[in-house]
Amino acid sequence: MGKKLFIILVLLMSLSLIGIIFVQAYYINNSIKNEEEQFNFNVKKALSFTARQIEEDEIERYYDKYQSLVDQEKQADTVAISNIFLYQQNENTNETIISRSGILEENYKLPSSFFDIGLDSINIKRILNKSETKIYSNRGTLDNELQSNPIYSMSKIARLTEAEKIALAELLKVAGSRVPIHKRIDNAVIDSLLSSKLKEDNVELAYEFAIYSNDLATKVQSEGFELEKSATYSIPIFDSGTDRNNYRLLVNFPKRNKFIQSSIIRMTLLSIIFTSIIIIAYSSALLQLFKQRKISEIKTDFINNMTHEFKTPIATINLALDAIKNPKVIEDKERVMRYLQMIKDENKRMHAQVENVLRISKLEKNELNISKDRVKLHDLIEDALTHVELIVEDRKGFIKTHLDADKSSVLANETHFTNVIVNILDNAIKYSPNAPKIDVYTENVGTNIILKIKDQGSGMSKAAQKRVFEKFYREHTGNIHNVKGHGLGLAYVKRIVDDHQGHISVESEKEKGSTFIIKLPLIS
């Protein structure tokens, strides 16, 4: 797959995933808004029902009282009532309040000439309403008023017509505004009406209520009511048409948000779970794609390096064989022996490379049998130095040892751990452009022994330090193969150190060299 196509596919997949997440978020947000609107509608409907029912119940109570007076009469008066009076006596202030609501019915019979509609005559009825309230401070003033205004002296009561019922309702609104609100309505009634209406709409949620007058609290309220503007609903109640008392029925729901969200919490949780699974799966797939692409590039580089490293010894062997075939050379035993040694060395070199590859493969499959014995790390270091000292001397370099650890007994496999030290020393030699200068240190730290191998070579970048122990990894140098290797040596080193319950790290700086640090547990 080409790099451009790979990038386009990743972008399209990422955009699709982001789109899915945004669509899910939009629908969840929209669902919450819909639930909130439905909740608000149900609450306002319950408030309207409660306020209307309370007002109707109050009027019905007064009408029942009036009707009971009518029922006490032996004979009904046939004269229609044109005025309704409400008499209130306040014992505390010695005031008498008389409220009147009057109904005037006027019937007109108009000749057909007024309206050309094909009828002989038209009956027109007009109903007029007039209300007034008077307050008398003492009984004498009231008696004088009654004597001077005979309309107040009506003694007979008749049944109410529909028009008169309207007049009574209007009258009670005005008269009721002078009665304290806690005497007009009971908390239990409000609670019962609200609760029943809310349950009809499946709003089973704890609430608190109150009645406020001109934005001031009254005695009518539940115990835990607190005015919260964001969660409080209100509606007018006992509207008298005057500014004397501007009553409002208020209700709030302390757990309103939780209730609204609970209705879609399952859908939201499922959406989050499935979206998270998609994100995790997508991230894993994307990570695997990048890893596979990187591995493909590393393997290609590995094959190129292996090919390059095998070409040189093969070419050397072929040249040596061709030289031996020469009749002049074959008679010169010294030259033949030298060529045979070259063939042997190059063959050994190729065999070592193949062994490294096979060793790593066995480690990956846990097929490499590593038996451990009690050994002294200092002995392994001395043994490893003998493998590389000739190469160092040939390049005019040196290896200095600073074996300061008093205790060096560890549980290790002699062969494999010697190879670990040899590989690190070999790296130090290969990555030293000039004569290799290497220092080897040991020291005891607690129950561990620390081995440091420090060189003064070309060093490595920060990025390379993070990946130096990866299989097949070599720091990118373009197509220049001035340092031979295939990126398996340090991967093998880390696997062996880990298998010995140790830890390996590297400290390095470009052009200033590298220091490999191995920590192993001591044994008594």
Side-chain angles (χ1 to χ4, degrees):
M1 185 187 296
K3 188 175 181 180
K4 288 185 178 179
L5 180 59
F6 179 77
I7 292 172
I8 290 171
L9 285 175
V10 170
L11 284 174
L12 288 175
M13 290 167 64
S14 301
L15 287 173
S16 299
L17 181 60
I18 292 169
I20 290 171
I21 293 171
F22 272 109
V23 168
Q24 290 283 345
Y26 171 78
Y27 275 110
I28 290 171
N29 185 55
N30 204 36
S31 298
I32 291 174
K33 286 183 178 179
N34 290 338
E35 289 293 331
E36 190 172 358
E37 289 175 2
Q38 184 64 40
F39 179 82
N40 293 344
F41 174 76
N42 291 335
V43 171
K44 288 178 181 177
K45 186 169 70 172
L47 281 173
S48 298
F49 167 79
T50 302
R52 186 174 63 253
Q53 192 65 42
I54 289 171
E55 291 172 353
E56 289 176 358
D57 288 348
E58 183 183 55
I59 293 171
E60 192 66 29
R61 286 197 304 273
Y62 280 107
Y63 177 66
D64 289 343
K65 288 181 181 179
Y66 178 86
Q67 197 63 46
S68 65
L69 294 175
V70 174
D71 293 338
Q72 291 174 11
E73 297 293 323
K74 294 179 181 180
Q75 184 177 358
D77 190 354
T78 58
V79 179
I81 294 176
S82 59
N83 288 279
I84 296 175
F85 300 88
L86 186 65
Y87 176 88
Q88 295 172 286
Q89 178 69 43
N90 192 327
E91 296 178 357
N92 296 327
T93 60
N94 197 26
E95 289 182 343
T96 302
I97 302 171
I98 295 180
S99 300
R100 176 176 68 87
S101 182
I103 293 292
L104 174 64
E105 294 185 7
E106 296 179 343
N107 293 304
Y108 298 92
K109 190 170 184 179
L110 304 176
S112 61
S113 58
F114 279 88
F115 300 98
D116 187 11
I117 55 174
L119 297 175
D120 294 335
S121 62
I122 302 172
N123 288 325
I124 301 295
K125 177 183 284 187
R126 185 174 68 170
I127 299 177
L128 303 177
N129 173 260
K130 183 179 180 182
S131 300
E132 65 176 345
T133 298
K134 290 186 177 182
I135 302 174
Y136 302 93
S137 58
N138 55 65
R139 184 67 186 176
T141 305
L142 174 61
D143 292 339
N144 293 335
E145 181 67 22
L146 289 174
Q147 292 174 4
S148 62
N149 195 344
I151 198 167
Y152 286 123
S153 61
M154 291 178 59
S155 59
K156 292 207 174 183
I157 302 173
R159 294 181 180 275
L160 295 177
T161 64
E162 289 301 319
E164 291 163 344
K165 285 183 180 181
I166 296 172
L168 176 60
E170 292 298 322
L171 174 65
L172 290 174
K173 285 182 181 180
V174 177
S177 64
R178 297 181 178 276
V179 179
I181 190 67
H182 62 274
K183 292 184 178 180
R184 300 177 70 181
I185 185 61
D186 186 64
N187 283 5
V189 175
I190 298 175
D191 189 27
S192 175
L193 290 172
L194 272 176
S195 178
S196 62
K197 194 62 180 176
L198 288 172
K199 283 182 179 178
E200 284 182 15
D201 295 316
N202 298 317
V203 182
E204 297 186 15
L205 181 64
Y207 59 85
E208 303 293 341
F209 63 87
I211 292 181
Y212 272 52
S213 173
N214 296 320
D215 296 328
L216 296 174
T218 67
K219 293 182 180 180
V220 181
Q221 59 178 281
S222 57
E223 291 183 3
F225 181 83
E226 291 182 5
L227 186 60
E228 298 178 11
K229 292 185 178 180
S230 59
T232 300
Y233 302 84
S234 69
I235 195 170
I237 188 171
F238 295 128
D239 185 14
S240 62
T242 67
D243 294 333
R244 179 180 177 84
N245 291 306
N246 191 11
Y247 291 119
R248 296 190 72 84
L249 174 61
L250 284 72
V251 62
N252 65 26
F253 299 84
K255 297 182 179 180
R256 168 183 172 274
N257 292 337
K258 187 177 180 180
F259 176 80
I260 292 172
Q261 293 168 4
S262 65
S263 59
I264 61 166
I265 192 70
R266 290 182 182 176
M267 183 186 74
T268 304
L269 284 175
L270 287 174
S271 178
I272 291 172
I273 290 169
F274 291 134
T275 303
S276 299
I277 292 171
I278 291 172
I279 291 172
I280 292 169
Y282 171 73
S283 301
S284 299
L286 202 59
L287 188 62
Q288 290 300 319
L289 279 174
F290 279 113
K291 279 186 176 180
Q292 290 298 323
R293 185 174 178 81
K294 188 183 292 183
I295 288 171
S296 177
E297 292 174 354
I298 289 171
K299 284 185 176 179
T300 302
D301 188 45
F302 166 72
I303 291 169
N304 291 337
N305 288 331
M306 288 291 288
T307 303
H308 177 79
E309 292 198 22
F310 277 128
K311 278 173 70 177
T312 302
I314 290 171
T316 304
I317 291 170
N318 284 333
L319 288 172
L321 288 172
D322 288 340
I324 291 172
K325 287 179 182 179
N326 191 318
K328 293 180 180 180
V329 175
I330 201 167
E331 293 177 358
D332 188 345
K333 290 184 179 181
E334 186 178 344
R335 290 179 68 183
V336 170
M337 290 303 294
R338 185 158 60 87
Y339 286 137
L340 288 174
Q341 187 62 42
M342 287 174 61
I343 292 170
K344 184 179 180 181
D345 290 341
E346 294 300 326
N347 184 61
K348 186 179 179 181
R349 182 175 156 193
M350 286 192 294
H351 179 73
Q353 290 171 351
V354 172
E355 274 299 313
N356 270 338
V357 176
L358 293 175
R359 197 181 294 135
I360 285 291
S361 177
K362 287 183 179 181
L363 277 173
E364 290 291 332
K365 297 177 183 177
N366 295 318
E367 294 176 356
L368 197 62
N369 184 24
I370 303 178
S371 59
K372 304 183 183 81
D373 297 307
R374 180 190 181 95
V375 295
K376 288 189 176 293
L377 185 60
H378 287 172
D379 293 341
L380 299 183
I381 294 170
E382 294 291 349
D383 188 27
L385 292 177
T386 61
H387 287 73
V388 296
E389 60 184 357
L390 291 176
I391 302 172
V392 174
E393 289 175 6
D394 185 57
R395 292 189 56 189
K396 312 298 182 186
F398 64 81
I399 299 178
K400 291 182 180 180
T401 57
H402 312 271
L403 308 181
D404 300 327
D406 294 328
K407 300 176 182 178
S408 67
S409 295
V410 295
L411 190 65
N413 181 281
E414 185 175 347
T415 302
H416 284 293
F417 216 86
T418 301
N419 286 336
V420 165
I421 301 170
V422 169
N423 276 349
I424 296 174
L425 291 170
D426 186 51
N427 253 31
I429 295 166
K430 285 194 296 186
Y431 287 95
S432 294
N434 303 315
K437 299 174 183 179
I438 303 169
D439 290 278
V440 180
Y441 302 86
T442 63
E443 62 176 317
N444 290 130
V445 177
T447 59
N448 299 299
I449 183 170
I450 306 296
L451 167 62
K452 294 183 181 179
I453 300 175
K454 182 178 181 181
D455 65 65
Q456 299 179 31
S458 57
M460 64 184 83
S461 64
K462 295 291 184 184
Q465 290 178 52
K466 293 178 182 178
R467 301 183 56 196
V468 71
F469 297 109
E470 291 181 15
K471 190 170 61 172
F472 302 124
Y473 178 76
R474 294 182 72 202
E475 191 168 8
H476 183 67
T477 56
N479 293 321
I480 301 171
H481 298 275
N482 55 338
V483 177
K484 297 181 180 181
H486 36 68
L488 291 175
L490 290 178
Y492 165 74
V493 165
K494 180 167 175 55
R495 286 301 299 267
I496 295 297
V497 172
D498 289 344
D499 190 68
H500 284 72
Q501 286 75 51
H503 179 265
I504 184 168
S505 59
V506 62
E507 296 174 358
S508 184
E509 192 174 342
K510 272 289 189 182
E511 309 304 331
K512 291 186 179 181
S514 303
T515 302
F516 284 86
I517 304 166
I518 297 174
K519 182 171 73 173
L520 289 173
L522 290 167
I523 60 172
S524 58

